[in-house]
């Protein structure tokens, strides 16, 4: 774990918990990277939702995503339907996310932000989440631009009334927090890209919501069945080992200004 204060589970529901909009590349990213935080905020009666950049709403992964979001209390899927960079079956006939014009993608995300009006936007980090997936990196770029543009009335006027999120967080993995996950990914031929510890500003112990998070991961049945996909890797682990990998979620707050004093939950 990073050298920081003791991790404190935030178990008390509060009406002041900020609303969250997750912006992630693929179905299952939301559960793996921020499932605990989404469940935490939903349990506190905060509004939560997830935008998924790739895979079509009529694809096999759509009902799995719906089941996962229902488990996390994050509402119905919001799928933009772009193609996956590595899977041509994700959205036949649609451009891949990495090939689509950036301004088009940003406009689509601005519309989602202005529609949902979140206090916080959560997305991928600049490295592309350990494995450096190009869809993760593209999502990071588009989400940051959209969070900035959404508050400016002269940009994307067709996308609705302006709304400025108060904070943007990137789900990430610090070098000292990779732990047992690193060797598991390397064993199936995947890269392991982590950020310096100082880059992770917020560390959340999601143990109180671990059962929900795990059920949401399992809802992505197609990925559970795959040998190299992380849900499948996690499923094959001994039950006592799994919490060491998924019970802590790390984030980097990118919003300008001084860092908030609370380091163990996402605040606007």
């Amino acid at each position: 774990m990073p050298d920081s204060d003791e991790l404190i589970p935030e178990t008390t529901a509060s009406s002041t918990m900020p609303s969250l909009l997750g912006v992630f590349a693929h179905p299952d990213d939301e559960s793996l990277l921020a499932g605990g935080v989404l469940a935490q905020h939903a349990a506190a009666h905060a509004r939560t939702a997830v935008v998924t950049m790739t895979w079509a709403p009529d694809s096999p992964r759509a009902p799995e995503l719906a089941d996962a979001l229902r488990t996390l209390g994050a509402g119905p899927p919001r799928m933009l339907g772009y193609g996956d960079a590595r899977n041509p079956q994700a959205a036949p006939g649609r451009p891949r996310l990495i090939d689509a014009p950036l301004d088009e993608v940003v406009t689509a995300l601005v519309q989602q932000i202005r529609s949902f009006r979140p206090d916080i936007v959560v997305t991928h980090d600049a490295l592309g989440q350990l494995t450096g997936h190009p869809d993760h990196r593209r999502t990071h770029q588009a989400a940051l631009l959209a969070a900035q543009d959404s508050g400016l009335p002269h940009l994307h006027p067709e996308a609705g009334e302006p709304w400025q999120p108060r904070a943007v967080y990137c789900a990430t993995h610090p070098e000292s927090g990779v732990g047992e996950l690193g060797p598991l990914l390397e064993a199936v031929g995947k890269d392991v890209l982590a950020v310096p510890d100082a880059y992770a500003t917020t560390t959340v112990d999601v143990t109180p919501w671990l059962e929900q998070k795990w059920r949401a991961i399992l809802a992505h049945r197609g990925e559970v069945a795959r040998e190299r996909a992380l849900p499948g890797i996690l499923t094959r682990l001994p039950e006592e080992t799994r919490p060491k990998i998924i019970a802590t979620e790390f984030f980097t707050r990118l919003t300008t200004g001084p860092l908030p004093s609370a380091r163990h939950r996402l605040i606007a």
Side-chain angles (χ1 to χ4, degrees):
M1 296 293 178
D3 182 15
S4 62
D5 300 340
E6 180 183 1
L7 305 188
I8 304 172
E10 298 277 348
T11 58
T12 304
S14 168
S15 60
T16 62
M17 287 286 274
S19 56
L20 295 184
L21 179 65
V23 179
F24 295 106
H26 312 107
D28 82 354
D29 289 335
E30 80 297 325
S31 301
L32 291 164
L33 299 173
V37 160
L38 285 165
Q40 174 194 29
H41 284 246
H45 308 294
R47 296 183 304 116
T48 62
V50 171
V51 176
T52 306
M53 305 295 287
T54 67
W55 289 80
D58 60 352
S59 68
R61 296 188 69 178
E64 298 177 352
L65 176 63
D67 289 346
L69 296 182
R70 190 178 304 111
T71 297
L72 297 174
R78 296 165 177 251
M79 304 179 76
L80 297 191
Y82 286 105
D84 186 315
R86 297 174 177 169
N87 192 328
Q89 301 305 314
R94 289 293 311 278
R96 297 188 305 171
L97 175 64
I98 60 173
D99 298 329
L102 182 58
D103 191 63
E104 171 193 306
V105 177
V106 171
T107 299
L109 282 179
V110 168
Q111 186 173 26
Q112 292 290 335
I113 292 171
R114 289 177 177 174
S115 172
F116 187 72
R117 303 171 77 82
D119 297 317
I120 294 174
V121 171
V122 180
T123 190
H124 296 279
D125 68 6
L127 293 180
Q129 238 67 59
L130 286 177
T131 61
H133 197 296
D135 288 339
H136 294 176
R137 291 179 176 175
R138 183 68 157 181
T139 298
H140 168 84
Q141 295 167 350
L144 265 56
L145 289 171
Q148 172 183 276
D149 287 6
S150 63
L152 300 174
H154 295 298
L155 293 178
H156 316 282
E158 72 282 12
E161 291 297 314
W163 175 261
Q164 185 63 62
R166 290 189 285 167
V168 176
Y169 285 84
C170 293
T172 194
H173 287 84
E175 292 169 348
S176 64
V178 172
E180 298 184 36
L181 185 55
L184 291 171
L185 293 174
E186 290 172 343
V188 295
K190 293 191 175 186
D191 296 328
V192 179
L193 307 176
V195 301
D197 285 4
Y199 191 77
T201 61
T202 308
T203 303
V204 185
D205 177 5
V206 298
T207 301
W209 304 276
L210 195 59
E211 181 182 350
Q212 273 179 274
K213 177 175 179 175
W214 180 236
R215 285 193 287 114
I217 292 171
L218 291 178
H220 294 283
R221 296 170 288 277
E223 296 299 282
V224 168
R226 294 180 58 214
E227 183 178 352
R228 297 182 71 249
L230 186 51
I233 294 171
L234 293 172
T235 303
R236 296 191 298 271
L237 291 178
E239 188 172 346
E240 63 273 14
T241 302
R242 200 177 300 125
K244 299 176 185 177
I245 297 175
I246 67 172
T248 305
E249 295 176 357
F250 304 99
F251 302 88
T252 299
R253 182 183 170 99
L254 294 187
T255 311
T256 58
L259 290 174
S261 57
R263 300 177 62 190
H264 306 305
R265 64 185 177 93
L266 306 191
I267 63 176

